[in-house]
Amino acid sequence: MYLMKKGRGFVAFLLVLVMVCGVLSACTSEEAENNQQPSQSNNNEKVDEIYFLNFKPEIADVYNKIAADYEAETGIKVKVVTAASGTYEQTLKSEIAKSEPPTIFQINGPIGYQTWKEYCLDLKDTKLYSFLSDPNLAITSNGGVYGIPYVVEGYGIIYNNAIMEKYFALSNRATDFKSMDEINNFEKLKALVEDMQAHKDELGIEGVFASTSLAPGEAWRWETHLANIPFYYEFKDKQNYDNPILAGLASNEIAFKYSENYKKIFDLYINNSCTEKAMLGTKTVNDSMAEFALGKVAMVQNGNWAWAQIKGVEGNVVDEKDIKFLPIYIDVEGEESQGLCIGTENYLAINSKVSEAKQKASIEFIEWLFSSEKGKDYVVNELGFIAPFNTFEEDEKPKDPLAREVLNWMEKDGVSSVPWVFAVFPSQNFKNTFADALLEYVQGNKSWDEVTKTVIESWKVEKAKGE
Amino acid sequence: MHNRHMSRYFFVFVFPTLLAFLLSFVIPFILGIVLSFTDFTSIIDAKWVGISNYIEAFSNKDFLNALRFTVKIAIVTVITVNFFAMCLALLLTRKIRGTNVFRAIFFMPNLIGGIVLGYIWQLIINGVLYKFGVTLTYKPEYGFWGLVILMNWQMIGYMMVIYIAAIQSIPNTLIEAAKIDGASPFQILTRIKLPIIMPSITICLFLTMANSFKNFDSNLALTAGAPSRKTAMLALDIYNTFYNTLNGEGVGQAKAVVFFIIVAVIAFLQLKLTRRKEVDNV
């Protein structure tokens, strides 16, 4: 009897243990098995494999082809692992602790460099760095070069010119614009959009703008990309800094000075959309791009990377020559000279904690990709990158229409691009909080003042965590 | 002689299990606790910071909110899941046609993963809410009841199976004797069936509570915490802290340790309480 009792107590204890083991081991077990330092001894050994942790799932297949070609040419195997969308940081965290860590990985800018600086090799003396057409684009710290941008991207309002032409041909419209070239500030954009919304049935569309996607994890076009513009103007107003990005990086607190401007453009999106406001919480970016591709809407805010997505939608009716970019105007003084938002959050870094031979092989692979004929062909025609390297000739510029539009806007006289200041947003948590507030705003549960307050507060809290 | 022989083999037989237990549980568990006192990016470069992670965890209103939300979910689901599972078990142990088919059908949702269930129920619930011009993210209450429904759907079948097994093991002689003594069906249920199957009730209460506390996947798929993290349960909040916050790894780990302690304490108390009600099997 005594034994029975004791046995039961033990069983109870075991049950408790088993129940909670899932809680903690979920976070730790994988790392525990792999916590050996990579061996540093085999410096001169011939490297047969390098490891590239890819950030972009949409082009993972292309990288596999490139890896196969590179192996055929040089005998070096390139292991390409792709992190699922939105999980790059956690994938990198667990991969880098393994005994065969990634030799090439990617950081998202000055903030990402802060997290990963222990692992970033100085690339100052590499050919790769000398390839950069503008060395200022690289991530530098104390004279060292730690991140090389490999693609620049641009975003704005994508519009379907066929629908615009249809509108300009209407006889009963309230505006007198004759072409999209005349739209160069918020006031004009607003007049145009609202009149188009009024004539949506004649134009055969369900709304001017595609859904403002606010499903969880799908709000980056608003909390990151759209937010970039008011914050750019806010940081630009700060004196004593070389550029708005540095000003933003130094801001422990923000005023969200252009919050009203953000509201203006955001309201324009949600009030002239094909989707009712209360339904936006279920919409995804894919939904929005499909609406645009199927011709249900005339405009959608997104970047040049969206072309592949638009083209890939079954039943796509948007012609390649009709797809154009318009800058995002938010009613700021002098915005007539504002261009698209152009920058990058894709910087390649080489793992400083793998053997020297592997570091060298990794750099050679990247150099091959961006300077050899074969590599460049992949970059231009299959990856569709707008690569910021001087190794690309004039006729090697990308062929996809949005990428060409980005280049056009970059070259336009009297127009200057908006840099990507969102690289200095304090954390993903800040962006999520921003998105949460936007969702509650469109559902009518939060006033705009509260949204503004939430954003200001979240910046302060999250920035303090990075100190 | 015989004894010495045994003890020599004791180690041989215990070693594989012990090794697995050490590698997959004890070592990560200890590492996890140690890491909660450090600042780290990957576990090979941790820096000791004392209890500051715990202070930060408890001054975080998302965490406290998640704690409250999780407790509410756990209370409601433990009651509803066990109530419905018991009802089904009692129904399906009567001699009616097709009990096996029904048992299989009720058990099936348990075979579907939480992520899939989450998306399925998101579609179903949103489909209904569309009619009223709102969505699941409109109010935290919607997400709360959505989660309760989902977890009921998922766990009832499993608990039902445990209850059925227990009810079937009740000796028929007892029931017959009770009937002859003139006990009503309700008396048979409360005085005979329930006391005898008390060990199963303990197990079921324990399993449902543990599962509702640790729920992560269906929470992530159903609402992902929307609106504004008001429907994030503890596990999801820990995940968000760990991966989406700058330097949040240590704080996330500290939250996980707190989570462990809470769950362990509650589970232990609950086991003690329900054990007392058990009768020795006849």
Side-chain angles (χ1 to χ4, degrees), chain A residues 40-55:
Chain A
Q40 302 267 359
S41 56
N42 46 356
N43 269 352
N44 297 318
E45 205 177 285
K46 174 98 178 75
V47 177
D48 46 14
E49 186 177 280
I50 56 177
Y51 176 2
F52 174 39
L53 189 62
N54 171 30
F55 174 76

PDB file of all heavy atoms in Angstrom, chain A residues 40-55:
ATOM      1  N   GLN A  40      38.054  25.652 -36.581  1.00  0.00           N
ATOM      2  CA  GLN A  40      38.745  26.701 -37.321  1.00  0.00           C
ATOM      3  C   GLN A  40      40.058  26.187 -37.898  1.00  0.00           C
ATOM      4  O   GLN A  40      40.812  26.942 -38.485  1.00  0.00           O
ATOM      5  CB  GLN A  40      39.063  27.875 -36.381  1.00  0.00           C
ATOM      6  CG  GLN A  40      37.853  28.488 -35.716  1.00  0.00           C
ATOM      7  CD  GLN A  40      37.311  29.656 -36.495  1.00  0.00           C
ATOM      8  OE1 GLN A  40      37.855  30.015 -37.534  1.00  0.00           O
ATOM      9  NE2 GLN A  40      36.242  30.276 -36.016  1.00  0.00           N
ATOM     10  N   SER A  41      40.339  24.908 -37.690  1.00  0.00           N
ATOM     11  CA  SER A  41      41.701  24.448 -37.947  1.00  0.00           C
ATOM     12  C   SER A  41      42.007  24.229 -39.424  1.00  0.00           C
ATOM     13  O   SER A  41      43.133  24.397 -39.842  1.00  0.00           O
ATOM     14  CB  SER A  41      41.936  23.151 -37.180  1.00  0.00           C
ATOM     15  OG  SER A  41      40.938  22.220 -37.554  1.00  0.00           O
ATOM     16  N   ASN A  42      40.980  23.878 -40.228  1.00  0.00           N
ATOM     17  CA  ASN A  42      41.292  23.438 -41.586  1.00  0.00           C
ATOM     18  C   ASN A  42      41.342  24.590 -42.592  1.00  0.00           C
ATOM     19  O   ASN A  42      40.586  24.639 -43.536  1.00  0.00           O
ATOM     20  CB  ASN A  42      40.300  22.374 -42.038  1.00  0.00           C
ATOM     21  CG  ASN A  42      38.881  22.790 -41.708  1.00  0.00           C
ATOM     22  OD1 ASN A  42      38.688  23.818 -41.083  1.00  0.00           O
ATOM     23  ND2 ASN A  42      37.921  22.017 -42.142  1.00  0.00           N
ATOM     24  N   ASN A  43      42.264  25.523 -42.349  1.00  0.00           N
ATOM     25  CA  ASN A  43      42.316  26.743 -43.142  1.00  0.00           C
ATOM     26  C   ASN A  43      42.622  26.531 -44.621  1.00  0.00           C
ATOM     27  O   ASN A  43      42.035  27.154 -45.481  1.00  0.00           O
ATOM     28  CB  ASN A  43      43.363  27.689 -42.562  1.00  0.00           C
ATOM     29  CG  ASN A  43      42.716  28.597 -41.553  1.00  0.00           C
ATOM     30  OD1 ASN A  43      41.487  28.585 -41.424  1.00  0.00           O
ATOM     31  ND2 ASN A  43      43.509  29.352 -40.838  1.00  0.00           N
ATOM     32  N   ASN A  44      43.565  25.680 -44.887  1.00  0.00           N
ATOM     33  CA  ASN A  44      44.008  25.565 -46.271  1.00  0.00           C
ATOM     34  C   ASN A  44      43.330  24.435 -47.016  1.00  0.00           C
ATOM     35  O   ASN A  44      43.654  24.146 -48.159  1.00  0.00           O
ATOM     36  CB  ASN A  44      45.524  25.380 -46.312  1.00  0.00           C
ATOM     37  CG  ASN A  44      46.199  26.597 -45.726  1.00  0.00           C
ATOM     38  OD1 ASN A  44      45.776  27.720 -46.006  1.00  0.00           O
ATOM     39  ND2 ASN A  44      47.206  26.388 -44.899  1.00  0.00           N
ATOM     40  N   GLU A  45      42.406  23.812 -46.336  1.00  0.00           N
ATOM     41  CA  GLU A  45      41.715  22.697 -46.953  1.00  0.00           C
ATOM     42  C   GLU A  45      40.888  23.191 -48.136  1.00  0.00           C
ATOM     43  O   GLU A  45      40.377  24.296 -48.143  1.00  0.00           O
ATOM     44  CB  GLU A  45      40.793  22.087 -45.910  1.00  0.00           C
ATOM     45  CG  GLU A  45      40.459  20.652 -46.137  1.00  0.00           C
ATOM     46  CD  GLU A  45      39.601  20.164 -44.985  1.00  0.00           C
ATOM     47  OE1 GLU A  45      40.155  19.938 -43.888  1.00  0.00           O
ATOM     48  OE2 GLU A  45      38.388  20.065 -45.203  1.00  0.00           O
ATOM     49  N   LYS A  46      40.753  22.310 -49.113  1.00  0.00           N
ATOM     50  CA  LYS A  46      39.917  22.649 -50.259  1.00  0.00           C
ATOM     51  C   LYS A  46      38.454  22.602 -49.826  1.00  0.00           C
ATOM     52  O   LYS A  46      38.004  21.637 -49.217  1.00  0.00           O
ATOM     53  CB  LYS A  46      40.200  21.624 -51.388  1.00  0.00           C
ATOM     54  CG  LYS A  46      39.295  21.759 -52.586  1.00  0.00           C
ATOM     55  CD  LYS A  46      39.976  22.545 -53.686  1.00  0.00           C
ATOM     56  CE  LYS A  46      39.116  22.661 -54.927  1.00  0.00           C
ATOM     57  NZ  LYS A  46      38.018  23.601 -54.832  1.00  0.00           N
ATOM     58  N   VAL A  47      37.728  23.670 -50.135  1.00  0.00           N
ATOM     59  CA  VAL A  47      36.337  23.722 -49.721  1.00  0.00           C
ATOM     60  C   VAL A  47      35.466  23.044 -50.763  1.00  0.00           C
ATOM     61  O   VAL A  47      35.632  23.276 -51.954  1.00  0.00           O
ATOM     62  CB  VAL A  47      35.890  25.190 -49.593  1.00  0.00           C
ATOM     63  CG1 VAL A  47      34.422  25.262 -49.239  1.00  0.00           C
ATOM     64  CG2 VAL A  47      36.744  25.888 -48.569  1.00  0.00           C
ATOM     65  N   ASP A  48      34.596  22.149 -50.340  1.00  0.00           N
ATOM     66  CA  ASP A  48      33.715  21.577 -51.344  1.00  0.00           C
ATOM     67  C   ASP A  48      32.262  22.009 -51.175  1.00  0.00           C
ATOM     68  O   ASP A  48      31.432  21.756 -52.017  1.00  0.00           O
ATOM     69  CB  ASP A  48      33.838  20.051 -51.401  1.00  0.00           C
ATOM     70  CG  ASP A  48      33.812  19.459 -50.015  1.00  0.00           C
ATOM     71  OD1 ASP A  48      33.441  20.196 -49.090  1.00  0.00           O
ATOM     72  OD2 ASP A  48      34.172  18.283 -49.872  1.00  0.00           O
ATOM     73  N   GLU A  49      31.977  22.690 -50.077  1.00  0.00           N
ATOM     74  CA  GLU A  49      30.597  23.143 -49.941  1.00  0.00           C
ATOM     75  C   GLU A  49      30.524  24.484 -49.217  1.00  0.00           C
ATOM     76  O   GLU A  49      31.207  24.711 -48.214  1.00  0.00           O
ATOM     77  CB  GLU A  49      29.766  22.102 -49.169  1.00  0.00           C
ATOM     78  CG  GLU A  49      28.308  22.495 -49.144  1.00  0.00           C
ATOM     79  CD  GLU A  49      27.439  21.450 -48.444  1.00  0.00           C
ATOM     80  OE1 GLU A  49      27.104  20.448 -49.077  1.00  0.00           O
ATOM     81  OE2 GLU A  49      27.102  21.676 -47.272  1.00  0.00           O
ATOM     82  N   ILE A  50      29.712  25.398 -49.769  1.00  0.00           N
ATOM     83  CA  ILE A  50      29.409  26.615 -49.045  1.00  0.00           C
ATOM     84  C   ILE A  50      27.902  26.654 -48.860  1.00  0.00           C
ATOM     85  O   ILE A  50      27.172  25.909 -49.508  1.00  0.00           O
ATOM     86  CB  ILE A  50      29.919  27.888 -49.768  1.00  0.00           C
ATOM     87  CG1 ILE A  50      29.359  27.951 -51.179  1.00  0.00           C
ATOM     88  CG2 ILE A  50      31.416  27.927 -49.760  1.00  0.00           C
ATOM     89  CD1 ILE A  50      29.741  29.198 -51.924  1.00  0.00           C
ATOM     90  N   TYR A  51      27.472  27.510 -47.970  1.00  0.00           N
ATOM     91  CA  TYR A  51      26.086  27.443 -47.535  1.00  0.00           C
ATOM     92  C   TYR A  51      25.474  28.848 -47.583  1.00  0.00           C
ATOM     93  O   TYR A  51      25.937  29.754 -46.908  1.00  0.00           O
ATOM     94  CB  TYR A  51      26.050  26.838 -46.126  1.00  0.00           C
ATOM     95  CG  TYR A  51      24.707  26.770 -45.451  1.00  0.00           C
ATOM     96  CD1 TYR A  51      23.533  27.197 -46.063  1.00  0.00           C
ATOM     97  CD2 TYR A  51      24.616  26.257 -44.157  1.00  0.00           C
ATOM     98  CE1 TYR A  51      22.319  27.126 -45.414  1.00  0.00           C
ATOM     99  CE2 TYR A  51      23.394  26.183 -43.498  1.00  0.00           C
ATOM    100  CZ  TYR A  51      22.253  26.628 -44.132  1.00  0.00           C
ATOM    101  OH  TYR A  51      21.051  26.586 -43.480  1.00  0.00           O
ATOM    102  N   PHE A  52      24.468  29.012 -48.410  1.00  0.00           N
ATOM    103  CA  PHE A  52      23.822  30.318 -48.583  1.00  0.00           C
ATOM    104  C   PHE A  52      22.414  30.239 -48.001  1.00  0.00           C
ATOM    105  O   PHE A  52      21.599  29.424 -48.428  1.00  0.00           O
ATOM    106  CB  PHE A  52      23.780  30.655 -50.074  1.00  0.00           C
ATOM    107  CG  PHE A  52      23.005  31.905 -50.422  1.00  0.00           C
ATOM    108  CD1 PHE A  52      23.076  33.032 -49.609  1.00  0.00           C
ATOM    109  CD2 PHE A  52      22.213  31.963 -51.550  1.00  0.00           C
ATOM    110  CE1 PHE A  52      22.362  34.180 -49.923  1.00  0.00           C
ATOM    111  CE2 PHE A  52      21.495  33.099 -51.880  1.00  0.00           C
ATOM    112  CZ  PHE A  52      21.574  34.215 -51.065  1.00  0.00           C
ATOM    113  N   LEU A  53      22.134  31.057 -47.015  1.00  0.00           N
ATOM    114  CA  LEU A  53      20.793  31.096 -46.434  1.00  0.00           C
ATOM    115  C   LEU A  53      19.994  32.201 -47.134  1.00  0.00           C
ATOM    116  O   LEU A  53      20.244  33.385 -46.926  1.00  0.00           O
ATOM    117  CB  LEU A  53      20.856  31.333 -44.928  1.00  0.00           C
ATOM    118  CG  LEU A  53      19.524  31.184 -44.192  1.00  0.00           C
ATOM    119  CD1 LEU A  53      18.991  29.773 -44.338  1.00  0.00           C
ATOM    120  CD2 LEU A  53      19.665  31.543 -42.730  1.00  0.00           C
ATOM    121  N   ASN A  54      19.071  31.776 -47.974  1.00  0.00           N
ATOM    122  CA  ASN A  54      18.346  32.705 -48.841  1.00  0.00           C
ATOM    123  C   ASN A  54      17.161  33.334 -48.125  1.00  0.00           C
ATOM    124  O   ASN A  54      16.456  32.691 -47.366  1.00  0.00           O
ATOM    125  CB  ASN A  54      17.892  31.926 -50.092  1.00  0.00           C
ATOM    126  CG  ASN A  54      16.953  32.724 -50.969  1.00  0.00           C
ATOM    127  OD1 ASN A  54      17.032  33.948 -51.013  1.00  0.00           O
ATOM    128  ND2 ASN A  54      16.076  32.033 -51.662  1.00  0.00           N
ATOM    129  N   PHE A  55      16.927  34.599 -48.416  1.00  0.00           N
ATOM    130  CA  PHE A  55      15.868  35.364 -47.766  1.00  0.00           C
ATOM    131  C   PHE A  55      14.572  35.349 -48.565  1.00  0.00           C
ATOM    132  O   PHE A  55      13.495  35.536 -48.017  1.00  0.00           O
ATOM    133  CB  PHE A  55      16.375  36.802 -47.605  1.00  0.00           C
ATOM    134  CG  PHE A  55      15.369  37.783 -47.078  1.00  0.00           C
ATOM    135  CD1 PHE A  55      15.046  37.793 -45.732  1.00  0.00           C
ATOM    136  CD2 PHE A  55      14.766  38.699 -47.913  1.00  0.00           C
ATOM    137  CE1 PHE A  55      14.128  38.702 -45.231  1.00  0.00           C
ATOM    138  CE2 PHE A  55      13.839  39.610 -47.424  1.00  0.00           C
ATOM    139  CZ  PHE A  55      13.521  39.613 -46.077  1.00  0.00           C
TER     140      PHE A  55
END
